Amino acid sequence: RNGVSEVSKVQSFLNRKLGLNISTDGVFGSSTHSAVRKFQSTYFGNILGPWKLVAPTGWWYQSTRSYANYLENCSEGIVQLDNTVKIQDGTIVN
């Protein structure tokens, strides 16, 4: 149940930020995956740059979630990614 609620929050956020109208059904299906890819493309340097990726993944993971929270005025502070890079609000920090 918590997963459905969390995915619905992501879907609502993506609808607001990207002007989309994906279903807020709590299911991380193809529409949500595509919307996450669009969000990552829009903020590519802030989200995927720290991973040195060249294309959006569609995964709602550490840097994507952290940057979304920053855009909602809810900074997570410094986040250490699984690749050991530290970011804060979409910027790499030392």
Side-chain angles (χ1 to χ4, degrees):
R1 183 174 184 120
N2 187 40
V4 170
S5 173
E6 294 304 310
V7 173
S8 295
K9 290 176 189 176
V10 169
Q11 291 165 330
S12 293
F13 167 81
L14 293 167
N15 283 337
R16 265 192 335 277
K17 286 298 177 191
L18 301 176
L20 301 174
N21 192 27
I22 58 172
S23 175
T24 56
D25 59 5
V27 177
F28 201 102
S30 61
S31 296
T32 304
H33 186 264
S34 293
V36 171
R37 289 174 56 91
K38 182 174 180 178
F39 177 68
Q40 291 172 329
S41 292
T42 301
Y43 299 99
F44 194 88
N46 303 99
I47 295 172
L48 300 173
W51 296 99
K52 298 186 189 309
L53 295 172
V54 296
T57 63
W59 296 346
W60 190 263
Y61 197 49
Q62 294 169 316
S63 58
T64 306
R65 183 203 66 239
S66 175
Y67 199 67
N69 282 331
Y70 165 69
L71 292 177
E72 292 291 291
N73 296 312
C74 186
S75 174
E76 293 184 22
I78 295 175
V79 175
Q80 183 168 328
L81 306 177
D82 286 349
N83 65 358
T84 71
V85 171
K86 293 179 184 176
I87 59 169
Q88 182 172 9
D89 305 332
T91 303
I92 296 173
V93 296
N94 292 324

